[in-house]
Amino acid sequence: MKIGVVGLGYVGLVTAGVLSFQGYDVIGIDIDENKINLLKNKRLPIYEPGLSEIIFSDKSKIYFTNSYEDLRDREIIFIAVPTPSVNNEIDLSYVVNASKSISSLNKNCTIVIRSTVVPGTAKKVMGLTNLNVISNPEFMREGNAVYDTLHPDRIVVGGKNAEIVANIWRFTNSPAIITTNENAELIKYASNSFLATKISFINEIANLCEKIPGCDIEIVAKGMGLDPRIGDKFLKAGLGFGGSCFPKDTKAIASFAESLKVELKIVKDAIEVNDERIQHAMEMIKESAANKDISVLGVAFKENTDDVRESRSLLLIKELIKNDYNVSYYDPVVKEEIENAYRCKTAEECIAKNENIVIATEWPLFREYERIMENKIVIDLRRILDHKKIKNYRGVGLGPKS
Ligand code: UGA
């Protein structure tokens, strides 16, 4: 089967890489010329563990291009372009434009929408293109994208002849939900909103723990998570959720629902609780730091990625700068320069620089430096260190000693 993938961001590149590795003939297209040049030179435009090995493997039959012309002979074309948030609403223009470009060249293909889109989008694209449109949302986490695409918990496909796409993913041996376009589209939003809500919920309980002597959110979450009805995943209290998905998707579904006169109160509260995390962290820092010279460990929106989109850590650094803190920072992968802050080359340099250390991204690597932080003032916003080992420790969700 001849497959095309439009949009070579995290979702598109991983989809293209995994399918070509499985033996499909894949053409990947992106309008960004730099990206295509990098890929042609066997270099990835993003950091994603395991992706390079599959995408540039001799086994993979994959061709990268800027030109929609190259999609003329494709039977199945995945659309994996961005669906950004504009004034809290989803901007579908990239999906619409990509679909129109495809249909002007290829009248025989099936379009598969892999981007996260509000219910009704596939039908809209069908109307615009006269092509069959199948919805196939992805459920991959950045940093684990290759694993999640090879071993997804489930495959969701919706629309007429959706089995074609379910068959493409059959090698995963994962359960498949074959349904309507609209159900498939909503499953994605409901899943991301539920996970975001779980995080905001545990962050609220963490706020409560901080006021109760003897309480620790890590133990409370563990005790909750052992109940299989609750589950132990996504109960990690911290600085809140960031990234290119949860912040955008929760807002998009809330405003989509509003357009149908439905209020998603819980989702809206989850967004609000998340928005408050930065100020909450600022209060902890103001109360605990010895002075205004501060070292921040972690810039990425979570571990194992170089992505800083909606990164809580980046927002916190900017807020610290706004409040006249002298910020030094370090991230194992993100090399971005932040205005009015100093980027350290190593974690050791960053830790040595100041008495106050803030842990803002949950890179497990930072645990290796626990020993050299023992005598520092540590504000652990991701609860990754052993608080008993640090003399002056303040952590999210950790109550005063009883
Ligand atoms: C998320 C979903 O997990 C994927 O299933 C989905 O496919 C993807 O969005 C998407 O829509 O494309 P991702 O944004 O890569 O994946 O990252 P997550 O691992 O879900 O983490 C999101 C944020 O939540 C991070 O900032 C992380 O630090 C935070 N988080 C996560 C917590 O604060 N606590 C947790 O317990 C888990």
Side-chain angles (χ1 to χ4, degrees):
M1 189 178 276
K2 290 181 173 146
I3 290 180
V5 177
V6 178
L8 299 175
Y10 284 90
V11 174
L13 264 182
V14 176
T15 302
V18 166
L19 291 180
S20 65
F21 195 67
Q22 289 304 317
Y24 287 100
D25 169 351
V26 178
I27 293 184
I29 153 162
D30 198 289
I31 48 168
D32 182 341
E33 276 183 33
N34 289 338
K35 201 180 266 186
I36 297 300
N37 286 338
L38 277 174
L39 288 163
K40 282 191 166 162
N41 288 309
K42 295 199 184 308
R43 284 176 54 209
L44 282 182
I46 53 165
Y47 171 85
E48 184 61 41
L51 183 56
S52 186
E53 288 79 350
I54 62 157
I55 216 162
F56 303 127
S57 141
D58 292 339
K59 222 178 120 185
S60 295
K61 189 163 184 274
I62 187 161
Y63 172 73
F64 299 107
T65 175
N66 281 130
S67 166
Y68 273 91
E69 293 281 332
D70 293 323
L71 296 178
R72 275 185 194 280
D73 69 340
R74 300 290 103 181
E75 294 155 89
I76 298 277
I77 302 180
F78 286 86
I79 293 189
V81 296
T83 49
S85 187
V86 175
N87 300 329
N88 291 343
E89 278 178 34
I90 188 169
D91 172 7
L92 289 172
S93 58
Y94 295 96
V95 173
V96 166
N97 292 339
S99 312
K100 284 185 184 161
S101 303
I102 294 165
S103 66
S104 67
L105 288 160
N106 185 334
K107 305 272 183 249
N108 301 310
C109 66
T110 296
I111 289 181
V112 182
I113 301 187
R114 198 127 170 92
S115 309
T116 302
V117 292
V118 289
T121 304
K123 285 273 156 66
K124 182 176 170 184
V125 172
M126 247 179 279
L128 289 169
T129 60
N130 276 328
L131 293 171
N132 186 31
V133 179
I134 296 174
S135 306
N136 174 218
E138 50 74 29
F139 300 95
M140 46 161 252
R141 296 158 297 166
E142 280 183 34
N144 291 284
V146 174
Y147 180 87
D148 287 352
T149 307
L150 289 168
H151 309 282
D153 298 321
R154 74 292 207 192
I155 299 294
V156 174
V157 286
K160 197 174 125 220
N161 297 334
E163 292 80 5
I164 308 173
V165 179
N167 282 338
I168 291 176
W169 296 112
R170 202 168 21 201
F171 69 87
T172 63
N173 286 323
S174 303
I177 301 276
I178 300 175
T179 182
T180 60
N181 290 105
E182 294 75 13
N183 277 338
E185 290 165 328
L186 189 53
I187 286 169
K188 173 65 192 254
Y189 276 106
S191 300
N192 273 7
S193 301
F194 187 81
L195 292 170
T197 303
K198 229 177 154 184
I199 298 169
S200 280
F201 179 85
I202 206 68
N203 282 335
E204 276 209 310
I205 302 296
N207 289 347
L208 183 60
C209 284
E210 286 165 21
K211 299 286 180 208
I212 308 173
C215 261
D216 181 351
I217 193 63
E218 289 285 295
I219 311 294
V220 174
K222 194 171 175 191
M224 288 168 66
L226 286 170
D227 181 337
R229 291 170 303 173
I230 297 173
D232 61 355
K233 308 277 190 305
F234 276 67
L235 279 185
K236 183 83 181 161
L239 190 51
F241 56 80
S244 65
C245 305
F246 289 172
K248 159 179 85 74
D249 294 348
T250 44
K251 285 180 198 139
I253 197 64
S255 88
F256 172 76
E258 240 151 59
S259 74
L260 299 176
K261 308 236 174 326
V262 175
E263 193 183 6
L264 296 185
K265 292 184 194 156
I266 294 176
V267 177
K268 281 164 75 180
D269 281 347
I271 298 169
E272 196 181 324
V273 169
N274 198 52
D275 287 344
E276 288 163 2
R277 296 312 285 164
I278 302 293
Q279 278 317 317
H280 183 74
M282 286 298 294
E283 276 158 37
M284 287 176 85
I285 293 168
K286 277 179 196 156
E287 283 166 18
S288 309
N291 50 48
K292 288 209 154 186
D293 299 325
I294 205 148
S295 292
V296 177
L297 294 179
V299 181
F301 88 90
K302 65 169 188 182
E303 83 281 16
N304 284 336
T305 182
D306 62 347
D307 198 343
V308 294
R309 284 177 290 176
E310 295 277 335
S311 161
R312 299 296 106 179
S313 168
L314 196 56
L315 287 177
L316 178 69
I317 291 173
K318 290 188 175 154
E319 194 61 27
L320 284 165
I321 297 168
K322 215 167 96 189
N323 282 270
D324 303 321
Y325 282 82
N326 303 313
V327 181
S328 301
Y329 64 96
Y330 169 76
D331 189 279
V333 179
V334 179
K335 300 292 172 235
E336 189 167 312
E337 297 294 339
I338 303 170
E339 216 181 312
N340 299 322
Y342 173 76
R343 182 169 74 84
C344 300
K345 311 289 173 291
T346 63
E348 286 94 336
E349 180 195 359
C350 198
I351 293 163
K353 214 158 170 46
N354 294 307
E355 196 183 346
N356 311 301
I357 315 287
V358 170
I359 307 218
T361 306
E362 60 271 41
W363 283 99
L365 172 86
F366 294 149
R367 287 199 191 99
E368 288 173 23
Y369 303 99
E370 195 170 69
R371 214 187 43 76
I372 56 170
M373 288 190 253
E374 274 172 8
N375 294 317
K376 303 269 178 177
I377 297 171
V378 177
I379 300 137
D380 186 353
L381 301 174
R382 294 291 183 178
R383 292 303 302 273
I384 64 165
L385 301 184
D386 180 352
H387 64 90
K388 294 187 201 95
K389 298 219 171 109
I390 315 268
K391 218 185 269 168
N392 216 324
Y393 180 94
R394 180 92 188 260
V396 157
L398 185 65
K401 286 200 179 97
S402 54

